[in-house]
């Protein structure tokens, strides 16, 4: 028996060409175009259709050429249900067993169905009347397995892409909503503060309890103002358009400390092994401003000698920092919750439960790690790392 070596070589090269056309893109239709149009051309076939099974219904995910398969074919669920019932490759002649199904596919020729799994099937059509033989089926089977995997990857990518688009849209709406709320709430708050000030000035003979109530209202308004500012800062942490800038670390931290109301009984020490740092200045300021403020607020005894130590160590790929205080500490039962929004263990007007969530979000933005160590009555240490770009 003679063997046609040239034909075998041609078949191998053709299979290689088919294989290389699969998976070049994660776009579902482009992936189908790349492979199936080449397959039809090389095998001299009339058309193809990728069919998706959704429960008891079937839809066309891809068809070439357009109009080759119309809705009447898809409506014949009995035929397609039989095709999808197992992984067996199905083949036949249109005029023999699909007379009711064929519709615009013509009433002649042959068809070949591969179950691609993942509720997908591929039908190949040859309208010239020649049935598909076993040699052709054996050649195409391993290629169809690769094609099936590529379609699954395309669908996974499409789901992820759609999810990201929805999340981006929702984040944008949430950010806009937060900004609108922040702006709209600030105006009436300012009006209330002004009215209270006028009332206190005009009402020299107000009773003590009335004055206390007015002062309590002022404190709550200030707390609400801090809450609005915090929400706005939290919602815009990763939305800055400006780039990183070179800052002088010690001078920058000194500026942050000077902007805070630090009591005379508290000493703040800064130790850094780097003089300059390329980082987003607003994020760096927010990070240390909240950490230092938390440390200051934790030292609530006026007669106690408070100490806050800030340590910054620059390494090759990351920045390691810590802020340590000798304040009242955080009870163990609260340590897991303090990084959640609006979780505050302090009733002071400055403490609205947003500072630590802001800190965590900034550290996450830089792909860093955060560690909280605290003991009641002895103090708290926040240690964290920031990944360098």
């Amino acid at each position: 028996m003679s063997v046609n070596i040239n034909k075998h070589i041609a078949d191998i090269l053709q299979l290689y060409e088919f294989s290389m056309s699969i998976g070049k893109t994660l776009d579902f239709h482009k992936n189908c175009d790349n492979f199936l149009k080449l397959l039809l051309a090389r095998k001299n076939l009339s058309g193809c259709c990728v069919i998706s099974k959704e429960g008891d219904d079937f839809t066309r995910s891809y068809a070439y050429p357009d109009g080759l398969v119309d809705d009447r074919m898809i409506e014949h669920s009995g035929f397609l249900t039989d095709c999808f019932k197992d992984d067996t490759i199905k083949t036949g002649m249109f005029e023999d067993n699909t007379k009711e199904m064929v519709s615009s596919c013509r009433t002649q020729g042959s068809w070949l169905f591969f179950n691609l799994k993942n509720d997908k099937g591929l039908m190949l059509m040859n309208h010239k009347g020649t049935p598909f033989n076993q040699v052709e089926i054996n050649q195409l089977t391993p290629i169809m397995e690769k094609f099936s995997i590529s379609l699954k990857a395309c669908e996974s990518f499409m789901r992820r892409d759609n999810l990201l688009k929805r999340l981006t849209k929702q984040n944008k709406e949430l950010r806009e909503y937060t900004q609108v709320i922040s702006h709209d709430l600030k105006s009436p708050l300012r009006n209330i503060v002004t009215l209270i000030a006028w009332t206190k000035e005009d009402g020299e003979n107000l009773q003590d309890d009335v004055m206390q109530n007015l002062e309590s209202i002022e404190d709550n308004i200030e707390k609400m103002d801090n809450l609005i500012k915090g929400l706005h800062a939290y919602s815009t942490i990763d939305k800055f358009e400006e780039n990183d800038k070179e800052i002088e670390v010690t001078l920058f931290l000194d500026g942050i400390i000077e902007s805070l109301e630090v009591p005379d009984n508290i000493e703040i020490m800064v130790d850094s092994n780097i003089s300059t740092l390329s980082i987003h200045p607003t994020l760096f300021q927010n990070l240390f401003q909240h950490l230092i403020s938390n440390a200051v607020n934790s030292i609530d005894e006026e007669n106690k000698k408070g100490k806050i130590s800030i340590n910054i160590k620059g390494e090759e790929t990351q920045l390691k920092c810590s802020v340590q205080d000798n304040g009242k500490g955080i009870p163990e039962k609260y340590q897991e919750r303090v990084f959640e929004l609006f979780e505050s263990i302090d009733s002071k007007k400055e403490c609205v439960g947003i500072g630590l969530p802001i800190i965590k979000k900034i550290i996450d933005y830089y792909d860093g790690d955060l560690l909280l160590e605290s003991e009641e009555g002895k103090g708290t240490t926040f240690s964290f790392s920031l990944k360098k770009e």
Side-chain angles (χ1 to χ4, degrees):
M1 182 179 65
S2 62
V3 178
N4 191 333
I5 299 298
N6 290 335
K7 185 178 185 307
H8 280 293
I9 294 175
D11 288 343
I12 292 171
L13 291 175
Q14 191 176 83
L15 289 175
Y16 176 76
E17 186 182 20
F18 290 155
S19 179
M20 294 303 293
S21 67
I22 297 172
K24 296 177 70 174
T25 172
L26 286 173
D27 182 277
F28 185 92
H29 286 276
K30 288 182 180 179
N31 190 30
C32 289
D33 273 346
N34 291 343
F35 170 57
L36 294 177
K37 288 183 180 180
L38 176 67
L39 176 65
L40 297 183
R42 295 291 185 264
K43 293 297 184 182
N44 200 21
L45 302 177
S46 306
C48 63
C49 182
V50 176
I51 301 168
S52 298
K53 183 177 184 296
E54 300 174 4
D56 295 328
D57 298 323
F58 302 92
T59 57
R60 287 166 297 174
S61 297
Y62 175 89
Y64 184 82
D66 292 336
L68 177 75
V69 179
D70 66 14
D71 290 333
R72 287 175 292 171
M73 173 182 173
I74 300 300
E75 289 170 1
H76 285 273
S77 58
F79 169 76
L80 293 176
T81 299
D82 183 63
C83 288
F84 273 95
K85 72 179 181 181
D86 53 43
D87 294 338
T88 306
I89 299 169
K90 316 292 192 306
T91 185
M93 303 295 292
F94 283 121
E95 62 267 31
D96 290 341
N97 54 5
T98 54
K99 287 181 180 179
E100 295 181 357
M101 180 275 296
V102 293
S103 66
S104 64
C105 295
R106 302 181 188 177
T107 56
Q108 61 181 359
S110 58
W111 57 271
L112 175 62
F113 183 89
F114 288 94
N115 189 338
L116 301 176
K117 303 178 183 179
N118 306 310
D119 293 325
K120 290 278 187 297
L122 171 65
M123 179 169 285
L124 301 176
M125 304 169 199
N126 182 1
H127 290 155
K128 295 181 180 179
T130 306
F132 290 89
N133 60 53
Q134 193 60 45
V135 173
E136 291 176 310
I137 295 173
N138 291 341
Q139 287 178 336
L140 292 176
T141 299
I143 299 298
M144 292 305 166
E145 291 178 1
K146 182 177 180 181
F147 183 54
S148 173
I149 293 171
S150 74
L151 292 188
K152 184 178 180 181
C154 289
E155 290 196 315
S156 297
F157 176 78
M158 185 168 56
R159 285 194 295 270
R160 190 193 71 169
D161 190 52
N162 289 337
L163 176 61
L164 287 175
K165 287 178 180 177
R166 288 199 301 272
L167 288 175
T168 300
K169 183 174 182 290
Q170 290 171 359
N171 285 338
K172 183 174 181 292
E173 291 173 350
L174 180 60
R175 187 168 68 253
E176 291 173 348
Y177 175 76
T178 305
Q179 290 173 346
V180 169
I181 291 297
S182 298
H183 179 270
D184 289 351
L185 285 178
K186 280 182 175 295
S187 180
L189 283 179
R190 284 193 293 267
N191 292 338
I192 294 172
V193 170
T194 302
L195 290 172
I196 291 174
W198 288 349
T199 302
K200 291 169 70 174
E201 289 176 3
D202 295 340
E204 296 179 357
N205 299 321
L206 289 176
Q207 296 180 359
D208 290 343
D209 58 344
V210 175
M211 289 295 294
Q212 288 177 359
N213 287 337
L214 290 175
E215 290 172 359
S216 177
I217 292 172
E218 285 181 318
D219 287 343
N220 279 280
I221 289 173
E222 187 174 348
K223 191 167 186 175
M224 189 171 183
D225 186 57
N226 290 331
L227 178 62
I228 292 169
K229 291 176 181 176
L231 279 173
H232 184 264
Y234 184 84
S235 68
T236 57
I237 281 173
D238 53 355
K239 306 299 186 298
F240 291 105
E241 296 181 357
E242 57 182 308
N243 298 322
D244 288 353
K245 294 180 180 178
E246 196 84 10
I247 63 171
E248 293 187 29
V249 176
T250 304
L251 288 177
F252 198 87
L253 288 173
D254 287 343
I256 294 173
I257 295 168
E258 288 177 8
S259 69
L260 301 172
E261 295 180 4
V262 181
D264 295 335
N265 65 307
I266 297 178
E267 179 186 8
I268 301 179
M269 296 165 288
V270 178
D271 181 22
S272 174
N273 73 340
I274 55 173
S275 56
T276 61
L277 174 67
S278 179
I279 199 167
H280 196 293
T282 305
L283 294 183
F284 194 74
Q285 178 179 343
N286 278 334
L287 178 59
F288 278 94
Q289 193 166 8
H290 285 291
L291 282 170
I292 298 169
S293 293
N294 276 358
V296 170
N297 289 330
S298 72
I299 306 170
D300 54 0
E301 299 177 31
E302 293 184 3
N303 298 324
K304 180 177 180 178
K305 181 64 175 178
K307 291 184 178 180
I308 298 173
S309 300
I310 302 170
N311 185 274
I312 298 177
K313 183 179 180 181
E315 297 186 351
E316 186 175 350
T317 59
Q318 61 183 350
L319 190 71
K320 289 190 173 182
C321 311
S322 66
V323 176
Q324 183 180 31
D325 65 65
N326 63 340
K328 59 186 177 182
I330 301 173
E332 187 176 354
K333 64 180 179 179
Y334 293 115
Q335 291 180 17
E336 290 292 329
R337 294 163 44 191
V338 291
F339 296 106
E340 299 176 9
L341 276 172
F342 311 124
E343 286 288 344
S344 176
I345 60 174
D346 201 316
S347 60
K348 292 181 180 180
K349 60 188 176 184
E350 299 89 352
C351 304
V352 293
I354 294 183
L356 290 177
I358 287 176
I359 291 166
K360 187 175 187 309
K361 192 171 181 181
I362 293 173
I363 293 171
D364 289 343
Y365 177 78
Y366 281 101
D367 293 327
D369 297 311
L370 173 62
L371 176 65
L372 164 62
E373 297 175 286
S374 187
E375 187 176 348
E376 285 188 82
K378 292 188 176 181
T380 301
T381 301
F382 288 96
S383 304
F384 60 94
S385 64
L386 302 178
K387 185 177 179 182
K388 291 184 179 180
E389 295 295 332

